[in-house]
PDB file of all heavy atoms in Angstrom:
ATOM      1  N   ALA A  43      12.033  -8.999  -2.556  1.00  0.00           N
ATOM      2  CA  ALA A  43      12.307  -7.606  -2.205  1.00  0.00           C
ATOM      3  C   ALA A  43      10.914  -6.999  -1.941  1.00  0.00           C
ATOM      4  O   ALA A  43       9.897  -7.642  -2.130  1.00  0.00           O
ATOM      5  CB  ALA A  43      13.067  -6.871  -3.289  1.00  0.00           C
ATOM      6  N   VAL A  44      10.917  -5.752  -1.490  1.00  0.00           N
ATOM      7  CA  VAL A  44       9.627  -5.176  -1.122  1.00  0.00           C
ATOM      8  C   VAL A  44       9.561  -3.752  -1.620  1.00  0.00           C
ATOM      9  O   VAL A  44      10.592  -3.071  -1.750  1.00  0.00           O
ATOM     10  CB  VAL A  44       9.414  -5.251   0.388  1.00  0.00           C
ATOM     11  CG1 VAL A  44      10.430  -4.383   1.139  1.00  0.00           C
ATOM     12  CG2 VAL A  44       8.000  -4.907   0.789  1.00  0.00           C
ATOM     13  N   ALA A  45       8.372  -3.296  -2.005  1.00  0.00           N
ATOM     14  CA  ALA A  45       8.199  -1.903  -2.421  1.00  0.00           C
ATOM     15  C   ALA A  45       6.978  -1.325  -1.748  1.00  0.00           C
ATOM     16  O   ALA A  45       6.009  -2.018  -1.441  1.00  0.00           O
ATOM     17  CB  ALA A  45       8.057  -1.812  -3.980  1.00  0.00           C
ATOM     18  N   TYR A  46       7.069  -0.003  -1.504  1.00  0.00           N
ATOM     19  CA  TYR A  46       5.967   0.711  -0.850  1.00  0.00           C
ATOM     20  C   TYR A  46       5.626   1.935  -1.673  1.00  0.00           C
ATOM     21  O   TYR A  46       6.460   2.518  -2.367  1.00  0.00           O
ATOM     22  CB  TYR A  46       6.410   1.173   0.538  1.00  0.00           C
ATOM     23  CG  TYR A  46       7.014   0.100   1.405  1.00  0.00           C
ATOM     24  CD1 TYR A  46       8.371   0.051   1.660  1.00  0.00           C
ATOM     25  CD2 TYR A  46       6.170  -0.873   1.971  1.00  0.00           C
ATOM     26  CE1 TYR A  46       8.914  -0.947   2.492  1.00  0.00           C
ATOM     27  CE2 TYR A  46       6.703  -1.873   2.768  1.00  0.00           C
ATOM     28  CZ  TYR A  46       8.031  -1.889   3.042  1.00  0.00           C
ATOM     29  OH  TYR A  46       8.599  -2.876   3.860  1.00  0.00           O
ATOM     30  N   LEU A  47       4.376   2.373  -1.610  1.00  0.00           N
ATOM     31  CA  LEU A  47       3.961   3.605  -2.322  1.00  0.00           C
ATOM     32  C   LEU A  47       2.579   4.021  -1.849  1.00  0.00           C
ATOM     33  O   LEU A  47       1.895   3.332  -1.116  1.00  0.00           O
ATOM     34  CB  LEU A  47       3.931   3.381  -3.867  1.00  0.00           C
ATOM     35  CG  LEU A  47       3.099   2.160  -4.382  1.00  0.00           C
ATOM     36  CD1 LEU A  47       1.664   2.581  -4.595  1.00  0.00           C
ATOM     37  CD2 LEU A  47       3.698   1.679  -5.691  1.00  0.00           C
ATOM     38  N   SER A  48       2.223   5.227  -2.282  1.00  0.00           N
ATOM     39  CA  SER A  48       0.845   5.734  -2.016  1.00  0.00           C
ATOM     40  C   SER A  48       0.115   5.697  -3.318  1.00  0.00           C
ATOM     41  O   SER A  48       0.674   6.003  -4.377  1.00  0.00           O
ATOM     42  CB  SER A  48       0.881   7.207  -1.517  1.00  0.00           C
ATOM     43  OG  SER A  48       1.666   7.316  -0.394  1.00  0.00           O
ATOM     44  N   PHE A  49      -1.169   5.369  -3.222  1.00  0.00           N
ATOM     45  CA  PHE A  49      -2.017   5.278  -4.402  1.00  0.00           C
ATOM     46  C   PHE A  49      -3.276   6.080  -4.128  1.00  0.00           C
ATOM     47  O   PHE A  49      -3.996   5.795  -3.169  1.00  0.00           O
ATOM     48  CB  PHE A  49      -2.342   3.830  -4.690  1.00  0.00           C
ATOM     49  CG  PHE A  49      -3.194   3.566  -5.939  1.00  0.00           C
ATOM     50  CD1 PHE A  49      -2.582   3.276  -7.114  1.00  0.00           C
ATOM     51  CD2 PHE A  49      -4.562   3.726  -5.875  1.00  0.00           C
ATOM     52  CE1 PHE A  49      -3.301   3.071  -8.280  1.00  0.00           C
ATOM     53  CE2 PHE A  49      -5.312   3.499  -7.017  1.00  0.00           C
ATOM     54  CZ  PHE A  49      -4.692   3.204  -8.211  1.00  0.00           C
ATOM     55  N   ARG A  50      -3.525   7.089  -5.007  1.00  0.00           N
ATOM     56  CA  ARG A  50      -4.716   7.935  -4.868  1.00  0.00           C
ATOM     57  C   ARG A  50      -5.669   7.670  -6.007  1.00  0.00           C
ATOM     58  O   ARG A  50      -5.268   7.700  -7.150  1.00  0.00           O
ATOM     59  CB  ARG A  50      -4.350   9.412  -4.888  1.00  0.00           C
ATOM     60  CG  ARG A  50      -3.884   9.993  -3.619  1.00  0.00           C
ATOM     61  CD  ARG A  50      -4.000  11.528  -3.606  1.00  0.00           C
ATOM     62  NE  ARG A  50      -3.798  12.204  -4.853  1.00  0.00           N
ATOM     63  CZ  ARG A  50      -2.666  12.738  -5.241  1.00  0.00           C
ATOM     64  NH1 ARG A  50      -1.589  12.638  -4.478  1.00  0.00           N
ATOM     65  NH2 ARG A  50      -2.565  13.371  -6.403  1.00  0.00           N
ATOM     66  N   ASN A  51      -6.939   7.518  -5.702  1.00  0.00           N
ATOM     67  CA  ASN A  51      -7.943   7.412  -6.740  1.00  0.00           C
ATOM     68  C   ASN A  51      -8.719   8.719  -6.795  1.00  0.00           C
ATOM     69  O   ASN A  51      -9.632   8.940  -5.985  1.00  0.00           O
ATOM     70  CB  ASN A  51      -8.879   6.227  -6.462  1.00  0.00           C
ATOM     71  CG  ASN A  51      -9.976   6.069  -7.489  1.00  0.00           C
ATOM     72  OD1 ASN A  51      -9.970   6.767  -8.520  1.00  0.00           O
ATOM     73  ND2 ASN A  51     -10.902   5.162  -7.228  1.00  0.00           N
ATOM     74  N   GLU A  52      -8.451   9.551  -7.790  1.00  0.00           N
ATOM     75  CA  GLU A  52      -9.124  10.805  -7.899  1.00  0.00           C
ATOM     76  C   GLU A  52     -10.257  10.706  -8.924  1.00  0.00           C
ATOM     77  O   GLU A  52     -10.866  11.728  -9.254  1.00  0.00           O
ATOM     78  CB  GLU A  52      -8.102  11.888  -8.337  1.00  0.00           C
ATOM     79  CG  GLU A  52      -7.065  12.081  -7.271  1.00  0.00           C
ATOM     80  CD  GLU A  52      -6.014  13.123  -7.682  1.00  0.00           C
ATOM     81  OE1 GLU A  52      -5.914  13.468  -8.847  1.00  0.00           O
ATOM     82  OE2 GLU A  52      -5.301  13.553  -6.752  1.00  0.00           O
ATOM     83  N   GLY A  53     -10.514   9.528  -9.416  1.00  0.00           N
ATOM     84  CA  GLY A  53     -11.592   9.319 -10.404  1.00  0.00           C
ATOM     85  C   GLY A  53     -12.930   9.195  -9.706  1.00  0.00           C
ATOM     86  O   GLY A  53     -13.010   9.073  -8.489  1.00  0.00           O
ATOM     87  N   GLY A  54     -13.998   9.130 -10.463  1.00  0.00           N
ATOM     88  CA  GLY A  54     -15.318   9.012  -9.927  1.00  0.00           C
ATOM     89  C   GLY A  54     -15.773   7.578  -9.683  1.00  0.00           C
ATOM     90  O   GLY A  54     -16.871   7.343  -9.194  1.00  0.00           O
ATOM     91  N   GLN A  55     -14.877   6.615 -10.063  1.00  0.00           N
ATOM     92  CA  GLN A  55     -15.242   5.209  -9.876  1.00  0.00           C
ATOM     93  C   GLN A  55     -14.230   4.500  -8.992  1.00  0.00           C
ATOM     94  O   GLN A  55     -13.087   4.886  -8.943  1.00  0.00           O
ATOM     95  CB  GLN A  55     -15.219   4.514 -11.258  1.00  0.00           C
ATOM     96  CG  GLN A  55     -16.135   5.111 -12.285  1.00  0.00           C
ATOM     97  CD  GLN A  55     -17.585   4.864 -11.952  1.00  0.00           C
ATOM     98  OE1 GLN A  55     -17.948   3.846 -11.396  1.00  0.00           O
ATOM     99  NE2 GLN A  55     -18.433   5.889 -12.248  1.00  0.00           N
ATOM    100  N   PRO A  56     -14.720   3.513  -8.218  1.00  0.00           N
ATOM    101  CA  PRO A  56     -13.740   2.702  -7.452  1.00  0.00           C
ATOM    102  C   PRO A  56     -12.825   1.955  -8.403  1.00  0.00           C
ATOM    103  O   PRO A  56     -13.232   1.627  -9.525  1.00  0.00           O
ATOM    104  CB  PRO A  56     -14.616   1.754  -6.628  1.00  0.00           C
ATOM    105  CG  PRO A  56     -15.952   1.725  -7.323  1.00  0.00           C
ATOM    106  CD  PRO A  56     -16.071   3.030  -8.068  1.00  0.00           C
ATOM    107  N   VAL A  57     -11.602   1.692  -7.969  1.00  0.00           N
ATOM    108  CA  VAL A  57     -10.696   0.867  -8.775  1.00  0.00           C
ATOM    109  C   VAL A  57     -10.126  -0.247  -7.863  1.00  0.00           C
ATOM    110  O   VAL A  57     -10.192  -0.150  -6.657  1.00  0.00           O
ATOM    111  CB  VAL A  57      -9.521   1.691  -9.374  1.00  0.00           C
ATOM    112  CG1 VAL A  57     -10.025   2.756 -10.303  1.00  0.00           C
ATOM    113  CG2 VAL A  57      -8.635   2.266  -8.309  1.00  0.00           C
ATOM    114  N   ARG A  58      -9.602  -1.252  -8.491  1.00  0.00           N
ATOM    115  CA  ARG A  58      -8.994  -2.337  -7.734  1.00  0.00           C
ATOM    116  C   ARG A  58      -7.596  -2.606  -8.276  1.00  0.00           C
ATOM    117  O   ARG A  58      -7.449  -2.786  -9.508  1.00  0.00           O
ATOM    118  CB  ARG A  58      -9.851  -3.578  -7.799  1.00  0.00           C
ATOM    119  CG  ARG A  58      -9.306  -4.786  -7.042  1.00  0.00           C
ATOM    120  CD  ARG A  58     -10.271  -5.950  -7.077  1.00  0.00           C
ATOM    121  NE  ARG A  58     -11.430  -5.744  -6.301  1.00  0.00           N
ATOM    122  CZ  ARG A  58     -11.541  -6.039  -4.988  1.00  0.00           C
ATOM    123  NH1 ARG A  58     -10.539  -6.586  -4.357  1.00  0.00           N
ATOM    124  NH2 ARG A  58     -12.659  -5.799  -4.333  1.00  0.00           N
ATOM    125  N   ILE A  59      -6.603  -2.575  -7.420  1.00  0.00           N
ATOM    126  CA  ILE A  59      -5.231  -2.881  -7.805  1.00  0.00           C
ATOM    127  C   ILE A  59      -5.069  -4.405  -7.648  1.00  0.00           C
ATOM    128  O   ILE A  59      -5.291  -4.969  -6.567  1.00  0.00           O
ATOM    129  CB  ILE A  59      -4.194  -2.215  -6.889  1.00  0.00           C
ATOM    130  CG1 ILE A  59      -4.501  -0.690  -6.762  1.00  0.00           C
ATOM    131  CG2 ILE A  59      -2.805  -2.410  -7.379  1.00  0.00           C
ATOM    132  CD1 ILE A  59      -3.749  -0.025  -5.631  1.00  0.00           C
ATOM    133  N   LEU A  60      -4.712  -5.078  -8.756  1.00  0.00           N
ATOM    134  CA  LEU A  60      -4.584  -6.530  -8.676  1.00  0.00           C
ATOM    135  C   LEU A  60      -3.159  -7.000  -8.452  1.00  0.00           C
ATOM    136  O   LEU A  60      -2.933  -8.144  -8.015  1.00  0.00           O
ATOM    137  CB  LEU A  60      -5.126  -7.134  -9.984  1.00  0.00           C
ATOM    138  CG  LEU A  60      -6.645  -7.037 -10.187  1.00  0.00           C
ATOM    139  CD1 LEU A  60      -7.047  -7.635 -11.488  1.00  0.00           C
ATOM    140  CD2 LEU A  60      -7.399  -7.651  -9.023  1.00  0.00           C
ATOM    141  N   GLY A  61      -2.209  -6.169  -8.811  1.00  0.00           N
ATOM    142  CA  GLY A  61      -0.789  -6.599  -8.719  1.00  0.00           C
ATOM    143  C   GLY A  61       0.029  -5.681  -9.563  1.00  0.00           C
ATOM    144  O   GLY A  61      -0.345  -4.529  -9.774  1.00  0.00           O
ATOM    145  N   GLY A  62       1.150  -6.192 -10.066  1.00  0.00           N
ATOM    146  CA  GLY A  62       1.953  -5.315 -10.881  1.00  0.00           C
ATOM    147  C   GLY A  62       3.036  -6.080 -11.608  1.00  0.00           C
ATOM    148  O   GLY A  62       3.123  -7.311 -11.530  1.00  0.00           O
ATOM    149  N   THR A  63       3.874  -5.332 -12.292  1.00  0.00           N
ATOM    150  CA  THR A  63       5.035  -5.899 -12.934  1.00  0.00           C
ATOM    151  C   THR A  63       6.206  -4.944 -12.745  1.00  0.00           C
ATOM    152  O   THR A  63       6.011  -3.753 -12.525  1.00  0.00           O
ATOM    153  CB  THR A  63       4.814  -6.081 -14.453  1.00  0.00           C
ATOM    154  OG1 THR A  63       4.424  -4.818 -15.026  1.00  0.00           O
ATOM    155  CG2 THR A  63       3.739  -7.128 -14.755  1.00  0.00           C
ATOM    156  N   THR A  64       7.419  -5.469 -12.863  1.00  0.00           N
ATOM    157  CA  THR A  64       8.601  -4.637 -12.800  1.00  0.00           C
ATOM    158  C   THR A  64       9.722  -5.342 -13.562  1.00  0.00           C
ATOM    159  O   THR A  64       9.813  -6.591 -13.540  1.00  0.00           O
ATOM    160  CB  THR A  64       9.041  -4.369 -11.361  1.00  0.00           C
ATOM    161  OG1 THR A  64      10.208  -3.545 -11.354  1.00  0.00           O
ATOM    162  CG2 THR A  64       9.330  -5.631 -10.569  1.00  0.00           C
ATOM    163  N   PRO A  65      10.575  -4.560 -14.234  1.00  0.00           N
ATOM    164  CA  PRO A  65      11.711  -5.204 -14.947  1.00  0.00           C
ATOM    165  C   PRO A  65      12.698  -5.873 -14.012  1.00  0.00           C
ATOM    166  O   PRO A  65      13.496  -6.671 -14.448  1.00  0.00           O
ATOM    167  CB  PRO A  65      12.366  -4.090 -15.711  1.00  0.00           C
ATOM    168  CG  PRO A  65      11.469  -2.901 -15.575  1.00  0.00           C
ATOM    169  CD  PRO A  65      10.543  -3.133 -14.429  1.00  0.00           C
ATOM    170  N   VAL A  66      12.694  -5.497 -12.692  1.00  0.00           N
ATOM    171  CA  VAL A  66      13.774  -5.998 -11.791  1.00  0.00           C
ATOM    172  C   VAL A  66      13.411  -7.289 -11.070  1.00  0.00           C
ATOM    173  O   VAL A  66      14.213  -7.828 -10.311  1.00  0.00           O
ATOM    174  CB  VAL A  66      14.141  -4.940 -10.753  1.00  0.00           C
ATOM    175  CG1 VAL A  66      14.647  -3.658 -11.433  1.00  0.00           C
ATOM    176  CG2 VAL A  66      12.976  -4.606  -9.794  1.00  0.00           C
ATOM    177  N   ALA A  67      12.203  -7.806 -11.283  1.00  0.00           N
ATOM    178  CA  ALA A  67      11.830  -9.079 -10.616  1.00  0.00           C
ATOM    179  C   ALA A  67      10.892  -9.871 -11.471  1.00  0.00           C
ATOM    180  O   ALA A  67      10.253  -9.337 -12.371  1.00  0.00           O
ATOM    181  CB  ALA A  67      11.154  -8.773  -9.258  1.00  0.00           C
ATOM    182  N   GLU A  68      10.804 -11.153 -11.143  1.00  0.00           N
ATOM    183  CA  GLU A  68       9.965 -12.041 -11.977  1.00  0.00           C
ATOM    184  C   GLU A  68       8.498 -11.670 -11.886  1.00  0.00           C
ATOM    185  O   GLU A  68       7.798 -11.680 -12.881  1.00  0.00           O
ATOM    186  CB  GLU A  68      10.175 -13.533 -11.464  1.00  0.00           C
ATOM    187  CG  GLU A  68       9.786 -14.518 -12.462  1.00  0.00           C
ATOM    188  CD  GLU A  68      10.339 -15.883 -12.118  1.00  0.00           C
ATOM    189  OE1 GLU A  68      11.609 -16.085 -12.275  1.00  0.00           O
ATOM    190  OE2 GLU A  68       9.599 -16.723 -11.628  1.00  0.00           O
ATOM    191  N   ARG A  69       7.996 -11.358 -10.692  1.00  0.00           N
ATOM    192  CA  ARG A  69       6.599 -10.947 -10.580  1.00  0.00           C
ATOM    193  C   ARG A  69       6.391 -10.097  -9.315  1.00  0.00           C
ATOM    194  O   ARG A  69       7.248 -10.058  -8.439  1.00  0.00           O
ATOM    195  CB  ARG A  69       5.635 -12.131 -10.632  1.00  0.00           C
ATOM    196  CG  ARG A  69       5.809 -13.089  -9.470  1.00  0.00           C
ATOM    197  CD  ARG A  69       4.850 -14.271  -9.642  1.00  0.00           C
ATOM    198  NE  ARG A  69       4.755 -14.980  -8.359  1.00  0.00           N
ATOM    199  CZ  ARG A  69       5.680 -15.860  -7.961  1.00  0.00           C
ATOM    200  NH1 ARG A  69       6.704 -16.125  -8.742  1.00  0.00           N
ATOM    201  NH2 ARG A  69       5.574 -16.455  -6.790  1.00  0.00           N
ATOM    202  N   VAL A  70       5.268  -9.422  -9.257  1.00  0.00           N
ATOM    203  CA  VAL A  70       4.900  -8.552  -8.156  1.00  0.00           C
ATOM    204  C   VAL A  70       3.608  -9.065  -7.511  1.00  0.00           C
ATOM    205  O   VAL A  70       2.625  -9.279  -8.235  1.00  0.00           O
ATOM    206  CB  VAL A  70       4.751  -7.105  -8.617  1.00  0.00           C
ATOM    207  CG1 VAL A  70       4.352  -6.194  -7.452  1.00  0.00           C
ATOM    208  CG2 VAL A  70       6.026  -6.584  -9.260  1.00  0.00           C
ATOM    209  N   GLU A  71       3.617  -9.264  -6.214  1.00  0.00           N
ATOM    210  CA  GLU A  71       2.404  -9.715  -5.519  1.00  0.00           C
ATOM    211  C   GLU A  71       2.034  -8.678  -4.470  1.00  0.00           C
ATOM    212  O   GLU A  71       2.900  -8.037  -3.884  1.00  0.00           O
ATOM    213  CB  GLU A  71       2.663 -11.043  -4.792  1.00  0.00           C
ATOM    214  CG  GLU A  71       2.943 -12.166  -5.754  1.00  0.00           C
ATOM    215  CD  GLU A  71       3.154 -13.508  -5.021  1.00  0.00           C
ATOM    216  OE1 GLU A  71       3.076 -13.530  -3.770  1.00  0.00           O
ATOM    217  OE2 GLU A  71       3.349 -14.526  -5.689  1.00  0.00           O
ATOM    218  N   ILE A  72       0.735  -8.539  -4.229  1.00  0.00           N
ATOM    219  CA  ILE A  72       0.286  -7.732  -3.115  1.00  0.00           C
ATOM    220  C   ILE A  72       0.225  -8.586  -1.876  1.00  0.00           C
ATOM    221  O   ILE A  72      -0.401  -9.640  -1.861  1.00  0.00           O
ATOM    222  CB  ILE A  72      -1.107  -7.099  -3.423  1.00  0.00           C
ATOM    223  CG1 ILE A  72      -1.011  -6.156  -4.636  1.00  0.00           C
ATOM    224  CG2 ILE A  72      -1.656  -6.367  -2.206  1.00  0.00           C
ATOM    225  CD1 ILE A  72      -2.333  -5.594  -5.076  1.00  0.00           C
ATOM    226  N   HIS A  73       0.900  -8.156  -0.832  1.00  0.00           N
ATOM    227  CA  HIS A  73       0.885  -8.824   0.460  1.00  0.00           C
ATOM    228  C   HIS A  73       0.397  -7.897   1.572  1.00  0.00           C
ATOM    229  O   HIS A  73       0.452  -6.690   1.430  1.00  0.00           O
ATOM    230  CB  HIS A  73       2.281  -9.286   0.836  1.00  0.00           C
ATOM    231  CG  HIS A  73       2.820 -10.469   0.070  1.00  0.00           C
ATOM    232  ND1 HIS A  73       3.946 -11.117   0.382  1.00  0.00           N
ATOM    233  CD2 HIS A  73       2.309 -11.113  -1.023  1.00  0.00           C
ATOM    234  CE1 HIS A  73       4.159 -12.106  -0.457  1.00  0.00           C
ATOM    235  NE2 HIS A  73       3.189 -12.103  -1.326  1.00  0.00           N
ATOM    236  N   GLU A  74       0.032  -8.523   2.653  1.00  0.00           N
ATOM    237  CA  GLU A  74      -0.376  -7.774   3.819  1.00  0.00           C
ATOM    238  C   GLU A  74       0.323  -8.415   5.052  1.00  0.00           C
ATOM    239  O   GLU A  74       0.304  -9.619   5.187  1.00  0.00           O
ATOM    240  CB  GLU A  74      -1.901  -7.890   3.987  1.00  0.00           C
ATOM    241  CG  GLU A  74      -2.472  -7.018   5.076  1.00  0.00           C
ATOM    242  CD  GLU A  74      -4.005  -7.101   5.044  1.00  0.00           C
ATOM    243  OE1 GLU A  74      -4.558  -8.104   4.564  1.00  0.00           O
ATOM    244  OE2 GLU A  74      -4.610  -6.160   5.511  1.00  0.00           O
ATOM    245  N   SER A  75       0.941  -7.558   5.852  1.00  0.00           N
ATOM    246  CA  SER A  75       1.498  -8.073   7.075  1.00  0.00           C
ATOM    247  C   SER A  75       0.446  -8.086   8.147  1.00  0.00           C
ATOM    248  O   SER A  75      -0.276  -7.133   8.366  1.00  0.00           O
ATOM    249  CB  SER A  75       2.652  -7.162   7.526  1.00  0.00           C
ATOM    250  OG  SER A  75       3.725  -7.242   6.610  1.00  0.00           O
TER     251      SER A  75
END
Side-chain angles (χ1 to χ4, degrees):
V44 67
Y46 308 107
L47 55 86
S48 303
F49 183 95
R50 277 202 325 265
N51 179 8
E52 297 178 345
Q55 301 293 325
V57 299
R58 180 177 289 271
I59 310 166
L60 290 181
T63 55
T64 179
V66 300
E68 200 164 286
R69 63 181 195 280
V70 178
E71 295 181 359
I72 296 176
H73 286 189
E74 186 174 25
S75 293

